[in-house]
Amino acid sequence: MVRCRRAARAGAGSRLPAALRRRSRPQGPIRRILQTISMAKRTIADVLGGAVDVGSEVTVQGWVRTRRDSKAGFSFVHISDGSCLKTLQVVAGNRLPNYASEILHLGSGCSLTVCGELVESRGRGQAVEIRATAVEVAGWVDDPDTYPISPKRHTFEFLREVAHLRPRTNTFGAIARVRHCLAKAMHDFFDSNGYLWIHTPIITGSDTEGAGELFRVSTLDAANLPRDSAGNPDYSGDFFGREAFLTVSGQLNVEAYCLALTRVYTFGPTFRAENSNTSRHLAEFWMIEPETAFADLDENASLAEALLKHLFRTVLEVRSEDMEFFERHVDRKAIQRLRAVVDQPFERMTYTEAVRILERARRRFRFPVQWGADLQSEHERYLTETHVGRPVIVTNYPKGIKAFYMRLDDGGETVAAMDVLAPGIGEIIGGSQREERLEVLDRRFLECGIDPAHYGWYRDLRRYGTVPHAGFGLGFERTISYVTGMANVRDVIPFPRTPGSAEF
RNA sequence: UCCUCAGUAGCUCAAUGGUAGAGCAUCCGGCUGUUAACCGGAGGGUUGUAGGUUCGAGUCCUACCUGAGGAGCCA
């Protein structure tokens, strides 16, 4: 352990919460916290952000990015610890006992504990730096020649193959911080609007929407499946005594809580076993699904708009440094795009209006525009990228192309559905007002070829004090893609799961 | 799943069917309060896999594998 005695003395008092400081002889866990704090360990974000006075002793820990030596007898070592985009410059002089033996051999990826004095930098690139009094190497890099995260440009495709090491790059560090920021902003938004976070199950017995391929959850011996008299697999002896799957959506479950607690949402992983190979699809992805009782489609759309604006506003403010990085290195329009969304109301149009716009468009589409058919990717792109230039909310789709639970509009041809389409991404939100009338719901079950008997508990919600309610699903990775300009959702989730790929 | 394109050094890419090369990274040396440092040198290859055509295949053909872009499905 590196010794920093002056730091230990200096750090003990001032930064502690008052409640901790009052105790003269703290015991147990609090004592351990004190011991940690008394080492004056600081994150690089703290040090560069002005939380540490120039002239004071600090301990910083992190991973080497670059090293440059001066024959004047010292080396510049840049270290990073993930707390912010910037690196911290450590000046290590040849009077350090391990200068020749270790410091002169440090390379990208080595982990360090550095003790020293924070001083004003004599160089140009940074305001402050650490003049090291001790540098302890925690871990060396086994084979620098083949260490994948060498200090050079890498393609995202290559970094995907080393997903366990890619958080060490600027880009993936920034993505992780932005992802965290968006998740926190989302929870803050709902909390301040009176929404409760409901932890809906990951394992589900119902095949939710009847749409989308499911991952089966089973403890049966796949090589020796028990079968019933008709020769079909018999799951009665399986772990749950029935078929079970990974959830494709928490919506149906959260509706149950909505119809008691009024304002609720889920946030968690969802799973689709679809063989989709695109930059916008994952087999495992995270979804935000609010559900509001006594709300109609309009209120639902307003909630979606308010949520997105809050997310974008927050990330621009809280993670401005990372956003500037994305603007410089990933997508020149990253910041400008978010500002435009925050500053202007969302465009709203019905499906019928959208079809009219597409029919009038001076553009030849590969797929014909026809009322009743679902909008193709090229149609959505035209609407959001060419016609509006910002996200657009399309509502009231034909019932034939939407799910059974969406509320049938007066006229009986369309349902109270809404999609939010974003430039470059396509559908970022899908939602609807839910069908709260039991007899209409039952009719829709039949039209969609679903056996209502499988939805007994869901029907109960309409039998016992039903109310109009509405909700939507926001794809978290697509949102992060939109925010950062990262073109592939596989790069905004730490360990992407896609068909044929579950490494790490 | 379908269509298109691509797999050559750790990475990014060259190489008319005829001796596999560069830049970056790495290592060594030089220089410098340096900062995507700079200058010099060195090491580094079963050309995705398996077949085939040919005197000769990184290059042409077939199959497969992997990746990317687009489509469908969707968030």
Side-chain angles (χ1 to χ4, degrees):
Chain A
M1 178 51 65
V2 175
R3 302 245 168 237
C4 293
R5 308 183 68 184
R6 277 171 59 196
R9 263 185 284 124
S14 57
R15 294 255 150 218
L16 284 181
L20 291 185
R21 239 182 296 149
R22 273 196 296 275
R23 294 188 171 217
S24 52
R25 295 186 74 89
Q27 305 292 320
I30 291 177
R31 186 170 170 182
R32 280 199 290 281
I33 290 168
L34 274 176
Q35 282 169 343
T36 306
I37 293 172
S38 71
M39 285 180 60
K41 276 194 198 177
R42 291 319 190 110
T43 66
I44 292 172
D46 275 349
V47 172
L48 296 179
V52 177
D53 294 332
V54 169
S56 61
E57 294 282 335
V58 279
T59 298
V60 209
Q61 299 173 304
W63 290 263
V64 174
R65 284 292 180 76
T66 59
R67 186 196 92 234
R68 288 174 297 277
D69 307 316
S70 167
K71 274 297 173 293
F74 45 88
S75 296
F76 302 99
V77 183
H78 279 228
I79 63 173
S80 129
D81 67 358
S83 60
C84 60
L85 182 72
K86 289 201 181 80
T87 55
L88 178 64
Q89 176 158 286
V90 174
V91 183
N94 59 5
R95 289 198 303 193
L96 293 170
N98 59 342
Y99 183 74
S101 61
E102 295 194 315
I103 288 167
L104 281 181
H105 300 285
L106 288 174
S108 204
C110 296
S111 49
L112 296 183
T113 295
V114 176
C115 268
E117 184 189 354
L118 188 69
V119 297
E120 278 177 24
S121 178
R122 287 164 58 190
R124 287 247 176 88
Q126 57 284 315
V128 293
E129 64 196 17
I130 290 186
R131 191 180 296 147
T133 51
V135 174
E136 182 187 51
V137 181
W140 291 97
V141 167
D142 194 49
D143 178 9
D145 191 44
T146 57
Y147 177 56
I149 313 298
S150 52
K152 70 179 286 294
R153 278 197 162 277
H154 295 291
T155 61
F156 295 141
E157 290 81 6
F158 167 69
L159 290 171
R160 234 169 266 157
E161 294 170 13
V162 286
H164 58 312
L165 298 173
R166 65 180 181 169
R168 299 171 181 216
T169 64
N170 285 329
T171 304
F172 286 86
I175 291 166
R177 285 185 294 272
V178 164
R179 185 177 173 114
H180 166 81
C181 172
L182 288 170
K184 181 173 184 301
M186 178 272 297
H187 284 306
D188 288 344
F189 173 85
F190 285 125
D191 185 58
S192 61
N193 284 288
Y195 281 75
L196 299 180
W197 184 12
I198 307 300
H199 300 139
T200 52
I202 303 294
I203 299 172
T204 171
S206 54
D207 51 357
T208 314
E209 306 177 22
E213 297 292 316
L214 299 154
F215 288 103
R216 182 178 299 284
V217 176
S218 173
T219 56
L220 293 178
D221 179 5
N224 199 5
L225 267 187
R227 298 189 179 271
D228 61 18
S229 52
N232 297 315
D234 178 9
Y235 293 99
S236 62
D238 204 346
F239 187 89
F240 295 107
R242 53 165 299 165
E243 287 185 281
F245 307 93
L246 294 180
T247 185
V248 298
S249 158
Q251 180 201 317
L252 300 191
N253 294 288
V254 90
E255 277 189 55
Y257 270 67
C258 175
L259 295 187
L261 304 175
T262 310
R263 295 179 172 204
V264 296
Y265 70 103
T266 74
F267 177 57
T270 49
F271 307 87
R272 306 277 166 92
E274 277 144 16
N275 195 3
S276 303
N277 293 290
T278 80
S279 58
R280 308 177 302 283
H281 290 86
L282 294 164
E284 177 183 280
F285 65 100
W286 288 61
M287 193 151 59
I288 298 158
E289 297 177 283
E291 196 74 27
T292 313
F294 303 100
D296 61 15
L297 189 65
D298 250 9
E299 294 170 74
N300 201 34
S302 297
L303 181 70
E305 180 173 345
L307 170 62
L308 287 175
K309 285 182 170 173
H310 180 261
L311 294 182
F312 298 166
R313 207 177 290 125
T314 304
V315 80
L316 283 172
E317 186 189 318
V318 175
R319 297 256 63 115
S320 57
E321 185 185 56
D322 291 317
M323 287 307 301
E324 281 160 20
F325 175 83
F326 289 118
E327 185 183 48
R328 262 197 320 276
H329 292 112
V330 175
D331 182 346
R332 276 184 12 255
K333 293 185 174 169
I335 291 178
Q336 167 196 332
R337 180 174 51 231
L338 295 189
R339 290 233 172 91
V341 171
V342 167
D343 291 343
Q344 302 172 67
F346 281 25
E347 197 83 18
R348 297 190 195 189
M349 63 178 70
T350 65
Y351 167 88
T352 303
E353 288 163 354
V355 166
R356 223 173 0 242
I357 289 165
L358 291 166
E359 282 170 344
R360 286 202 212 113
R362 282 205 219 108
R363 168 85 63 99
R364 181 158 295 172
F365 295 112
R366 256 188 72 213
F367 293 90
V369 179
Q370 191 185 0
W371 199 99
D374 210 353
L375 300 178
Q376 304 288 318
S377 280
E378 54 174 347
H379 303 146
E380 295 183 349
R381 294 182 79 105
Y382 178 84
L383 289 174
T384 188
E385 290 168 19
T386 308
H387 186 73
V388 178
R390 285 176 292 119
V392 54
I393 306 180
V394 181
T395 62
N396 305 95
Y397 284 78
K399 66 175 179 180
I401 57 174
K402 288 295 180 181
F404 71 87
Y405 52 73
M406 297 187 177
R407 191 180 195 277
L408 197 64
D409 290 326
D410 297 344
E413 293 306 313
T414 57
V415 290
M418 64 167 210
D419 284 357
V420 178
L421 311 176
I425 310 269
E427 186 179 340
I428 194 169
I429 284 179
S432 68
Q433 184 175 340
R434 319 306 189 188
E435 183 55 75
E436 86 281 12
R437 300 160 297 188
L438 183 62
E439 65 285 359
V440 182
L441 181 67
D442 281 342
R443 215 158 57 229
R444 290 285 290 146
F445 273 131
L446 296 180
E447 284 176 14
C448 296
I450 299 168
D451 182 358
H454 292 157
Y455 288 87
W457 67 265
Y458 190 71
R459 291 179 72 252
D460 277 356
L461 302 176
R462 277 70 181 168
R463 294 172 61 206
Y464 307 132
T466 190
V467 296
H469 60 292
F472 60 83
L474 169 63
F476 194 46
E477 283 73 22
R478 288 185 183 178
T479 305
I480 303 169
S481 266
Y482 187 71
V483 166
T484 59
M486 293 295 295
N488 196 317
V489 290
R490 290 164 194 160
D491 296 326
V492 300
I493 191 167
F495 298 100
R497 271 78 179 97
T498 51
S501 173
E503 270 298 315
F504 309 105

